[in-house]
Amino acid sequence: MSFLLFLRGLIIVLLAFAISIYLLTGSLWGTFVQTLICGILIQIGYFVAVMLLVWRSVSKESVTPKSHIAR
């Protein structure tokens, strides 16, 4: 997933989250804090997902067939 696609999705999700939290609580400060926490959690999840993809691609490349091992 490209960063711009992720960023657009992140903004849409955070806006929907902020609107729903504001309608439920009626507090601007609480909405801001909870939306900030939600954004941080989404960023952590994105970072972990990218790290797992990199780790999996590196571990697949490091597996060398036995026929290619120098004797």
Side-chain angles (χ1 to χ4, degrees):
M1 177 186 295
S2 70
F3 177 71
L4 290 177
L5 186 62
F6 168 74
L7 188 62
R8 185 176 11 158
L10 175 70
I11 291 170
I12 291 169
V13 167
L14 288 178
L15 281 173
F17 181 81
I19 290 169
S20 64
I21 291 298
Y22 180 72
L23 291 175
L24 288 172
T25 64
S27 168
L28 283 176
W29 180 249
T31 300
F32 174 74
V33 170
Q34 290 181 14
T35 303
L36 184 66
I37 292 169
C38 181
I40 291 170
L41 289 175
I42 291 173
Q43 285 288 335
I44 291 170
Y46 182 73
F47 178 75
V48 169
V50 169
M51 292 304 292
L52 285 174
L53 288 173
V54 169
W55 178 70
R56 284 178 43 199
S57 70
V58 169
S59 65
K60 284 183 182 178
E61 290 176 2
S62 65
V63 175
T64 307
K66 291 182 180 181
S67 61
H68 291 88
I69 297 176
R71 294 182 185 193

